[in-house]
Amino acid sequence: MFALPSASRAIAGRMAVSARVPALGTMHVRNLNLHEYQSQNLMKDWGVSVPKSVVVENVDDVLNACKQIGTPKMVIKTQVHAGGRGKGTLSSGLQGGVHVIDSADRAQELAKQMLGYKLKTKQTQGDGVMVNKLMIAEGVDVVAECYFAILLDRATNGPVMVASAEGGMDIEEVAHSRPDAIFKEFIDINHGPTDAQLENLAKGLNFEGDSKTQSKEVMNNLYKMFIGVDSTQVEINPMCKLSDGRVMCVDAKIGFDDNAEFRQADIFAQRDTAEEDPREVEASKYDLNFVGMDGNIGCMVNGAGLAMATMDIIQLHGGKPANFLDLGGGVTESSVGQAFKILTADPKVKGILVNIFGGIVDCGLVARGIIAAANNLGINIPITIRLKGTNEEEAQKLISNCGLKLTMLEDLDEAAINAVKSA
Ligand code: GDP
Ligand code: MN
């Protein structure tokens, strides 16, 4: 799925191409998004200092949460899967999804204007995302805000630490207008960061004395976490120097490698689907990858490469894809049925193009799945099918003899033209 843009994207985009976060490559990947409070709990487990916090879902719980925090200054923060909250706007009219406060009354007042409203930020789409959770945290006395991230670098085939002394809410602007204020250290994945590298980073971030030692420890522990949890991206903005000399991570965004789901069960169990596209959530239950778009042709494909090619060719012939649904490798008749159900549930879909390459996948099985789905669901939109590879002759026979209005074409151009014309 398209990942939400993050500051690290803007920053990586300003760096050498080599360090760019893959854009198209992530299209078929379901990225796990954690909330800030979940990321902070994880960081705490790895010995990284974060502010004490409590999560609430109801205004009635705010008072109690403030008592638990018990500091004179507190911060109230919307928990959504998007950055830029500080400068965002709520649909209640409230400016800012992050506020520093000095009383529980104020916390309640703000919670009333946050919970149940949508937050719109630079990183959200449409009219924003619904706020269902708030974090109330100890308010720390910040004297400097830095940016620190660990990303994966293509050219060096390994992690890269990216840092800037000018962190905080304007980091995208810094990345854009003063890219030299951002520096990096490439990490040897077999050895982790050297002391000299951590020293360079800490100095570049203007940490001195005990704060410098602490910041090195924070960065080193973040790196251990990055490796230990199969992370693909850790972004801390801001990593703060406090007035008492402590170094603390005040905000966090952590991305995970979906292929590691089997060994990071605890982390993936924290997935909050409330903000995700319900069609995508439904698809993922059947190991299907769904990506929604604006057009009117539903695409059923196998493999991300074929998905791109299919979308390109639809556009070449003047059409627009409504979505694409990637069946992946382990296709069964019933997963084809589920795929059709998801594709046709969208009223915008006026036609379907199936483009499957049968390598491991048996075209006969796909054909039977399509016919069963078309019968069961009573699909009355035009369906164009291109099945190539293993058992395509059987598939052709099944489709010709099924008595349904299915068009099977061998040539991808012809199939795309047919799908565009008939939709
Ligand atoms: P974002 O806007 O979504 O990136 O949300 P952040 O969690 O980064 O919060 C936005 C800004 O609020 C930070 O850049 C800080 O300047 C400020 N902030 C957050 N927590 C604290 C805190 O405990 N104390 C102080 N003084 N400022 C904070
Ligand atoms: Mn931030």
Side-chain angles (χ1 to χ4, degrees):
M1 178 30 82
F2 297 103
L4 281 171
S6 67
S8 72
R9 280 213 167 189
I11 288 156
R14 302 299 305 175
M15 293 165 59
V17 174
S18 57
R20 206 167 276 165
V21 178
L24 286 179
T26 57
M27 268 185 84
H28 63 293
V29 175
R30 297 191 304 273
N31 281 306
L32 173 69
N33 274 308
L34 288 188
H35 286 296
E36 178 190 21
Y37 73 91
Q38 297 168 320
S39 299
Q40 291 199 341
N41 284 338
L42 194 60
M43 284 154 63
K44 210 157 68 183
D45 292 344
W46 288 84
V48 177
S49 57
V50 296
K52 187 176 163 192
S53 68
V54 176
V55 178
V56 297
E57 292 180 39
N58 295 301
V59 176
D60 293 344
D61 298 331
V62 170
L63 215 60
N64 229 335
C66 290
K67 272 192 201 142
Q68 279 184 59
I69 299 300
T71 50
K73 221 165 62 161
M74 290 173 287
V75 189
I76 184 164
K77 304 173 101 173
T78 47
Q79 297 294 287
V80 295
H81 290 156
R85 295 164 300 168
K87 292 196 167 170
T89 309
L90 285 126
S91 54
S92 62
L94 180 70
Q95 286 296 317
V98 175
H99 287 256
V100 180
I101 48 172
D102 50 18
S103 76
D105 286 347
R106 180 72 183 140
Q108 268 185 321
E109 233 174 78
L110 289 168
K112 279 183 198 155
Q113 301 170 69
M114 290 173 157
L115 283 170
Y117 292 100
K118 284 187 167 180
L119 177 69
K120 209 173 156 172
T121 81
K122 257 195 236 165
Q123 296 185 8
T124 58
Q125 289 160 1
D127 55 356
V129 283
M130 181 58 73
V131 179
N132 296 315
K133 291 188 173 91
L134 300 176
M135 179 170 110
I136 299 184
E138 78 179 284
V140 289
D141 197 12
V142 175
V143 291
E145 300 193 15
C146 311
Y147 176 92
F148 177 72
I150 309 173
L151 310 169
L152 286 170
D153 178 58
R154 280 196 193 177
T156 55
N157 273 326
V160 56
M161 289 183 171
V162 183
S164 175
E166 297 176 43
M169 292 194 279
D170 292 317
I171 189 69
E172 281 96 343
E173 177 51 29
V174 174
H176 183 71
S177 56
R178 273 171 307 117
D180 34 314
I182 290 164
F183 54 99
K184 48 192 170 169
E185 286 286 343
F186 297 98
I187 311 300
D188 177 345
I189 196 155
N190 293 313
H191 297 102
T194 63
D195 187 66
Q197 288 183 308
L198 295 172
E199 186 76 20
N200 279 345
L201 288 159
K203 279 187 184 154
L205 294 175
N206 302 327
F207 285 112
E208 289 165 354
D210 185 44
S211 298
K212 192 177 76 186
T213 314
Q214 278 191 48
S215 71
K216 284 166 68 177
E217 197 187 327
V218 167
M219 291 187 281
N220 201 31
N221 286 343
L222 284 170
Y223 183 80
K224 285 183 190 159
M225 178 187 78
F226 175 82
I227 298 294
V229 302
D230 294 304
S231 178
T232 52
Q233 172 203 33
V234 169
E235 184 182 54
I236 311 296
N237 188 30
M239 178 165 90
C240 295
K241 185 178 170 186
L242 308 188
S243 58
D244 59 10
R246 282 185 300 161
V247 176
M248 206 177 257
C249 297
V250 160
D251 186 15
K253 181 183 166 77
I254 308 176
F256 301 88
D257 183 344
D258 277 14
N259 294 312
E261 182 168 355
F262 72 99
R263 58 180 186 196
Q264 303 293 349
D266 292 352
I267 291 171
F268 280 79
Q270 296 182 49
R271 183 176 179 192
D272 178 358
T273 54
E275 282 176 42
E276 295 179 24
D277 185 328
R279 295 168 303 182
E280 189 199 333
V281 174
E282 184 65 15
S284 72
K285 283 188 202 157
Y286 304 96
D287 259 332
L288 305 165
N289 294 319
F290 179 92
V291 176
M293 275 164 290
D294 300 329
N296 63 354
I297 300 172
C299 305
M300 193 169 103
V301 296
N302 63 334
L306 205 56
M308 307 291 177
T310 308
M311 290 192 300
D312 281 353
I313 209 138
I314 286 174
Q315 285 182 7
L316 180 71
H317 294 298
K320 270 193 159 180
N323 53 48
F324 77 79
L325 212 148
D326 178 4
L327 293 177
V331 183
T332 62
E333 255 182 71
S334 85
S335 69
V336 172
Q338 285 302 338
F340 260 88
K341 217 170 172 175
I342 293 163
L343 285 183
T344 53
D346 183 348
K348 280 191 321 203
V349 173
K350 302 291 183 224
I352 292 177
L353 174 60
V354 178
N355 187 19
I356 302 277
F357 179 75
I360 300 167
V361 174
D362 173 357
C363 292
L365 178 151
V366 175
R368 283 192 294 275
I370 294 173
I371 293 164
N375 274 319
N376 293 341
L377 300 168
I379 296 169
N380 50 14
I381 51 174
I383 300 176
T384 310
I385 301 165
R386 176 181 180 255
L387 288 168
K388 289 300 282 180
T390 310
N391 262 340
E392 63 176 83
E393 296 81 7
E394 189 201 342
Q396 177 73 67
K397 260 188 224 143
L398 287 167
I399 285 171
S400 309
N401 299 333
C402 72
L404 294 165
K405 275 211 308 199
L406 305 174
T407 311
M408 184 154 162
L409 294 163
E410 256 192 59
D411 182 75
L412 179 53
D413 269 305
E414 282 176 27
I417 291 167
N418 188 71
V420 171
K421 258 201 305 203
S422 58

